C-alpha cells in the first residue's frame, strides 16, 4: 500500500513519498518518460502534485491520477496547458491550481499542483484505504502509456482492475 500523507497544515512536498511511473507494458521502444505524483491531504484540502520529465512536452502529453474512495471516483488530468478533473464523471474545478517547471539531476520537468476540498472523496481518516493509479500517457508523436501500479489490463487504462492500494497515514 502506498501512503497518502495526512498533515495538520499545508504539506512540505519535498518531504512526502513520491509515486514514480515505471511500468510501460506496451512500450516496444525506449521512450518511457519519467513521471511522478504526490497526494496529500490536510483538514481543508486534497493536494495533487503531478509532474513529468519531457522537453518539450507534446500538447497531447498527460499525467493522469485516479483515486477511488467511498463509492466516488476522482480522475485528474494534468497536461502542459493545465489541469482538469472529474468527480464521478462530472467536471470538478480545483480550489487552486499552480504550474511549475524546472530542472534537476534527472532533467527538465513540467507539472501542476492542484488543490481540491479535503472531503471531495468523502470523509477521510487515518488508516482509510483508497484505490487508484497514476498514469503517464500520450497519443501524440511519441505515443506511450505507463503507470505507477502494474496494470492488469493495459488495453483498459483507468479501469478499476488496474488500481493499486493507497492508505492514509498521519505525517
Amino acid at each position: 500500500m502506498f501512503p497518502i500523507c495526512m498533515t495538520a497544515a499545508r504539506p512540505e512536498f519535498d518531504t512526502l513519498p513520491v509515486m514514480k511511473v515505471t511500468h510501460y507494458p506496451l512500450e516496444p521502444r525506449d521512450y518511457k518518460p519519467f513521471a511522478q505524483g504526490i497526494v496529500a491531504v490536510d483538514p481543508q484540502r486534497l493536494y495533487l502534485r503531478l509532474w513529468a520529465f519531457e522537453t518539450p512536452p507534446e500538447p497531447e502529453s498527460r499525467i493522469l491520477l485516479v483515486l477511488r474512495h467511498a463509492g466516488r471516483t476522482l480522475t485528474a488530468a494534468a497536461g502542459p496547458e493545465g489541469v482538469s478533473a472529474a468527480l464521478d464523471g462530472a467536471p470538478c474545478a480545483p480550489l487552486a491550481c499552480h504550474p511549475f517547471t524546472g530542472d534537476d539531476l534527472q532533467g527538465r520537468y513540467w507539472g501542476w499542483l492542484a488543490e481540491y476540498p479535503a472531503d471531495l472523496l468523502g470523509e477521510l481518516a487515518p488508516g482509510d484505504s483508497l484505490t487508484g493509479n497514476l498514469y503517464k500517457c500520450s497519443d501524440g508523436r511519441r505515443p506511450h502509456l505507463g503507470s505507477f501500479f502494474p496494470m492488469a489490463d493495459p488495453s483498459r487504462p483507468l479501469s478499476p482492475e488496474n488500481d493499486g492500494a493507497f492508505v492514509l497515514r498521519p505525517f
Side-chain angles (χ1 to χ4, degrees):
M1 296 182 110
F2 191 83
I4 294 176
C5 294
M6 300 187 80
T7 60
R10 184 178 181 87
E12 293 291 330
F13 292 100
D14 291 341
T15 66
L16 301 179
V18 178
M19 293 177 275
K20 299 174 183 172
V21 173
T22 58
H23 301 280
Y24 284 87
L26 304 176
E27 181 56 54
R29 304 173 318 274
D30 288 336
Y31 192 72
K32 299 174 183 175
F34 192 60
Q36 298 176 305
I38 293 174
V39 179
V41 65
D42 71 18
Q44 289 79 38
R45 298 199 178 203
L46 172 67
Y47 300 92
L48 310 178
R49 188 173 189 217
L50 310 171
W51 69 104
F53 291 81
E54 289 180 299
T55 41
E58 296 181 357
E60 300 87 359
S61 188
R62 295 287 176 271
I63 307 164
L64 305 170
L65 178 67
V66 177
L67 293 174
R68 300 177 214 280
H69 181 257
R72 296 178 178 171
T73 300
L74 174 66
T75 305
E81 75 291 338
V83 175
S84 62
L87 181 63
D88 298 329
C92 175
L95 298 171
C97 192
H98 314 281
F100 60 92
T101 61
D103 55 79
D104 64 15
L105 296 174
Q106 297 169 352
R108 296 196 50 77
Y109 57 84
W110 61 270
W112 290 86
L113 171 61
E115 303 174 16
Y116 294 90
D119 62 355
L120 192 66
L121 290 168
E123 190 71 29
L124 299 174
D128 283 355
S129 293
L130 290 81
T131 60
N133 210 338
L134 176 69
Y135 300 91
K136 173 64 182 82
C137 61
S138 177
D139 58 2
R141 221 173 15 91
R142 298 176 294 199
H144 57 273
L145 172 64
S147 63
F148 171 65
F149 291 114
M151 288 181 270
D153 185 357
S155 69
R156 296 183 39 186
L158 310 186
S159 169
E161 65 194 311
N162 293 322
D163 288 356
F166 297 99
V167 64
L168 291 165
R169 297 269 189 240
F171 187 79

